Amino acid sequence: MNKPILFKRPVITVFFFYAAFLISLDYAGIFEPSKQSVLYHFAFYKKTVIVEGKVISEPEPVKNGQRFVLKARMLNGYERVNEKILAYAAPGYQIAYGDIISMEGRPSKPKEADFPLVFDYGKYLARTGIYTILQASSFQHIESAANPVKKLALGFRKDLLKKTDDYFKKPYSGLFKSLIIGDKAALEPQTKENFADAGLMHVLVVSGLHVGFAGGLLLTVFKICGFSLKKASLLSMPFIFLYVISTGANPPALRAAIMFSSVLIALALDREPLIYNSLALSALLILLFAPQQLFTASFQLSYAATAGIIYFYRKIYSVFGNIKNAVLRFFTGVFSVTVSAQIALMPVCLYYFAKISLISFAANIIIVPLIGVIMPLGFAFYFSAFIFPSLSFALSKIISFMLHFILVSVNVFAQSGFSSFNAAKPPVLHIVIFFLFFLAITHFNDRKRFIFPGICLILSFLNIFAPAFADKDKVIYSVYDRHNVTVLRIKNGSSNSFIFYRKRGGHDKYYIDSFLRFLSFSGIKKAEMSFIGFKESDTARQIKNANPAFAKTEKTGIVDMNFYERGAKFDMAGGKIYIDGNAVLEMKKNPSFYYHLKKKTFKIKDG
């Protein structure tokens, strides 16, 4: 009797149990900033602090200064701490990776999302272990204690960036930097948007694709030099990690390096590379040192794509088994890899970005093989610049031609009318059911092949329609109170109304943009909008395909309406609802509630 894979592969079992443990900790609130960070409390009370620590990232220029990550070790000269801070300093300060510095400033909390579902910068930083932001008002350099290996890798990065600027013209220099070491600073915003719409944003971030190409190149070079596969595998590992460190050691690249290294170790030991074990081992190692990576889009996308390729590739490629032509077999292989990854990526991308690229299959088939050619040419360009500058110049022209082709192709893909479409953000349960469905339809045989997918589909339909049926007699209210603005959302069936009340402050275009993204992520095509205290000329210009109403009185925040044959008053400033003159609920204390049309009562909404 065959044992289940969880028992045959103990690493996979440990990973699943550990992941479940982390999810339970997150659900219990253990990872909340207030429980993880000492400085978070100083930010809450807006107190000035003196922080001493080590600069653990290469400072990058930003508007009116520079930004870097500081690993704090001392607070106010006596209290020991061990947490990361996103620090900002004036451009005049000389700061480098590895410096031990002392900074004085007032810590602040990262900006929270204005609405649910949309990107939350504060939560994004928290998942990387950063809970506060510090703007330096004074600065003191103590000493330098850089890690020599990381310093060497970052030196390679700096030199590569400089040589790229010397040999390449814009916009090719910016794209080359991004493709080789993941530096997107010089890319135009429109270029980034084009890559996103074409489903190619992953090639601009150093990840498994780049590490795989780099690792394959290293193995080839060492084999050509006469080393055996065992020795070539072991020699390649330190160079892979040097490359990853030089790119910034972002989580996707680090994950890929760990997984690739586990495969190389298996090859060196003459053992069959157990790919699922390698995948689980790399994930487990990452999560042991950075547990909150489990909840990041980057982590989930990386492992979803890899697992999709492992699980679906052979099944899809076998469809083209009769093709004998070598060129066609190559493209069917690329197509099979792309489709395999996209099957697993589609629901995860939809959850995080509420967008699906329809043209990514064709775009990846054309662009990804080119990246595989550009990377070895790029490394050859860099190293030849030290000995044969004329060869480097020639290689830069060849690479520039290929980069030009990529930019034109991506622009064509992105500008096509069917490149992508927006959709509502699915619940987590729907994503789980999606993967269960594909697992069932491809893994189980005979009757089970149809029984399990059928169960998945039934669960999905129940999850979609049951809440709508339960809420048919309810008018549901949700309160979003952020950054001097209170928003009341009124949902009755499929209709939605929003009442905005601005307490103070001027026009904030980013707030309106965030609201429009919230509408898109929620799948709301049309909604009534009423604005109190907003400047009509600025706000209405941002909102298209709608007719927002603007109140003449901007200070009271009182909204009177005839509410199902009863007088209703919404006090947006005071945060209370009055029905027939009586206060019914405090909106801000109860951010989700409903009015039952038949029972004619207000109740707090569960969940």
Side-chain angles (χ1 to χ4, degrees), residues 439-470:
L439 179 66
I441 202 71
T442 57
H443 183 71
F444 296 105
N445 296 319
D446 303 326
R447 292 180 181 178
K448 293 181 181 180
R449 183 186 294 275
F450 301 99
I451 292 173
F452 283 92
I455 292 173
C456 292
L457 289 175
I458 291 170
L459 288 174
S460 182
F461 281 115
L462 285 175
N463 188 255
I464 292 171
F465 294 111
F469 180 79

Side-chain angles (χ1 to χ4, degrees), residues 49-91:
V49 297
I50 299 174
V51 178
E52 180 184 308
K54 181 178 180 178
V55 179
I56 61 172
S57 72
E58 190 69 17
E60 57 178 325
V62 293
K63 186 178 181 181
N64 301 323
Q66 52 187 321
R67 176 176 60 193
F68 54 92
V69 178
L70 183 76
K71 185 68 175 290
R73 65 183 188 185
M74 192 73 71
L75 177 63
N76 292 332
Y78 63 89
E79 186 176 355
R80 291 194 173 277
V81 294
N82 183 30
E83 62 179 272
K84 294 189 289 186
I85 304 169
L86 185 62
Y88 289 81

Side-chain angles (χ1 to χ4, degrees), residues 228-300:
S228 65
L229 180 60
K230 289 183 183 180
K231 292 180 179 179
S233 300
L234 293 175
L235 287 171
S236 297
M237 287 172 57
F239 289 99
I240 288 172
F241 279 97
L242 275 174
Y243 169 66
V244 168
I245 293 170
S246 69
T247 65
N250 66 72
L254 195 56
R255 285 192 291 271
I258 291 172
M259 190 178 73
F260 197 84
S261 296
S262 64
V263 174
L264 292 178
I265 290 172
L267 288 172
L269 296 175
D270 275 338
R271 297 189 62 183
E272 178 190 355
L274 300 173
I275 194 65
Y276 286 112
N277 254 3
S278 301
L279 195 66
L281 179 61
S282 66
L284 193 58
L285 289 173
I286 291 289
L287 296 179
L288 285 173
F289 292 98
Q292 294 196 68
Q293 282 293 310
L294 177 66
F295 309 101
T296 63
S298 170
F299 183 94
Q300 294 167 22

Side-chain angles (χ1 to χ4, degrees), residues 50-205:
I50 299 174
V51 178
E52 180 184 308
K54 181 178 180 178
V55 179
I56 61 172
S57 72
E58 190 69 17
E60 57 178 325
V62 293
K63 186 178 181 181
N64 301 323
Q66 52 187 321
R67 176 176 60 193
F68 54 92
V69 178
L70 183 76
K71 185 68 175 290
R73 65 183 188 185
M74 192 73 71
L75 177 63
N76 292 332
Y78 63 89
E79 186 176 355
R80 291 194 173 277
V81 294
N82 183 30
E83 62 179 272
K84 294 189 289 186
I85 304 169
L86 185 62
Y88 289 81
Y93 292 137
Q94 298 297 317
I95 303 172
Y97 159 74
D99 286 351
I100 307 295
I101 63 174
S102 176
M103 295 174 58
E104 183 177 359
R106 183 175 294 175
S108 61
K109 301 176 185 178
K111 186 179 184 299
E112 296 177 329
D114 298 306
F115 297 92
L117 304 183
V118 300
F119 176 72
D120 191 317
Y121 185 60
K123 186 174 288 187
Y124 163 77
L125 287 180
R127 295 305 191 189
T128 64
I130 299 173
Y131 303 99
T132 53
I133 295 174
L134 185 68
Q135 179 70 54
S137 57
S138 66
F139 167 86
Q140 180 183 356
H141 183 274
I142 299 175
E143 61 177 327
S144 182
N147 181 295
V149 176
K150 187 170 182 178
K151 190 172 183 179
L152 174 66
L154 292 176
F156 160 73
R157 176 189 177 90
K158 280 184 179 179
D159 196 48
L160 178 59
L161 293 176
K162 182 180 181 303
K163 284 183 169 55
T164 301
D165 289 331
D166 291 341
Y167 283 85
F168 287 84
K169 296 180 180 179
K170 293 182 178 180
Y172 311 125
S173 58
L175 181 57
F176 182 74
K177 293 175 188 176
S178 184
L179 293 178
I180 299 297
I181 55 173
D183 188 323
K184 299 191 293 293
L187 279 179
E188 294 292 330
Q190 185 60 51
T191 301
K192 294 179 186 178
E193 188 174 337
N194 287 345
F195 271 84
D197 288 340
L200 289 165
M201 199 63 185
H202 63 97
V203 305
L204 301 181
V205 180

Side-chain angles (χ1 to χ4, degrees), residues 556-570:
T556 62
I558 303 296
V559 179
D560 286 298
M561 63 176 64
N562 183 23
F563 186 78
Y564 295 95
E565 301 180 354
R566 304 180 69 183
K569 182 172 73 172
F570 294 87

Side-chain angles (χ1 to χ4, degrees), residues 149 178 229 385 390 419 438 454 483 546 571:
V149 176
S178 184
L229 180 60
S390 57
S419 62
F438 268 101
H483 309 296
D571 182 358

